[in-house]
Amino acid sequence: MNWTDAIKLVYYKDEKNSNGFKVNDTKEESTTLPAHIKSITRSEAEHSKKMGYDASITVELLFCNYDQKYTHIVDTIENKEYEIKRVYKKTSEILEITCSDISKNHG
């Protein structure tokens, strides 16, 4: 496996005031992790359309580096953020994560 790419896993933590109202989101990031970023396959593109989103990339990551609290991935080379849409085990050690480009959602 070529681990030539680098990503950060991200989640947004809600901050609330003393009355319990949300005041803002705090961005929490993992350390930079080795990964393998790939183009999506035709079948993954078709599946994502059926599920209501546009898949942009697939990321392979070691299972031990992932925690389900993470909702986004940042490609540290292109400095681009993606929303995690689908995660599954490819092998006992490798996860495959399908992501959608969030910049396409904002006009």
Side-chain angles (χ1 to χ4, degrees), residues 6-10 12 27 29 37 56-57 59 72-83 99-105:
I7 64 161
K8 286 188 178 185
L9 295 166
V10 176
Y12 292 90
K27 185 176 183 178
E29 294 183 346
I37 299 174
S56 302
I57 62 169
V59 177
H72 294 77
I73 286 177
V74 175
D75 178 345
T76 58
I77 295 169
E78 292 187 16
N79 200 27
K80 218 171 174 184
E81 189 166 337
Y82 298 89
E83 184 177 6
C99 302
S100 181
D101 184 350
I102 62 171
S103 66
K104 292 182 180 179
N105 298 335

Side-chain angles (χ1 to χ4, degrees), residues 58-69:
T58 300
V59 177
E60 290 182 350
L61 182 69
L62 287 174
F63 182 77
C64 62
N65 289 333
Y66 184 74
D67 186 326
Q68 290 181 344
K69 70 181 176 183

Side-chain angles (χ1 to χ4, degrees), residues 4-97:
T4 57
D5 302 305
I7 64 161
K8 286 188 178 185
L9 295 166
V10 176
Y11 73 98
Y12 292 90
K13 184 173 155 184
D14 292 342
E15 286 188 18
K16 297 181 180 181
N17 64 17
S18 60
N19 296 322
F21 293 102
K22 181 178 168 181
V23 290
N24 63 0
D25 288 333
T26 303
K27 185 176 183 178
E28 300 284 334
E29 294 183 346
S30 70
T31 58
T32 301
L33 301 168
H36 180 62
I37 299 174
K38 308 184 304 183
S39 299
I40 60 164
T41 63
R42 179 180 292 159
S43 63
E44 187 64 47
E46 290 172 3
H47 175 77
S48 70
K49 293 277 188 208
K50 289 178 186 174
M51 300 305 291
Y53 65 92
D54 290 322
S56 302
I57 62 169
T58 300
V59 177
E60 290 182 350
L61 182 69
L62 287 174
F63 182 77
C64 62
N65 289 333
Y66 184 74
D67 186 326
Q68 290 181 344
K69 70 181 176 183
Y70 296 110
T71 57
H72 294 77
I73 286 177
V74 175
D75 178 345
T76 58
I77 295 169
E78 292 187 16
N79 200 27
K80 218 171 174 184
E81 189 166 337
Y82 298 89
E83 184 177 6
I84 296 172
K85 293 295 191 175
R86 185 173 172 215
V87 179
Y88 64 94
K89 273 187 157 182
K90 185 173 180 181
T91 69
S92 62
E93 297 176 351
I94 298 174
L95 289 177
E96 190 161 279
I97 305 170

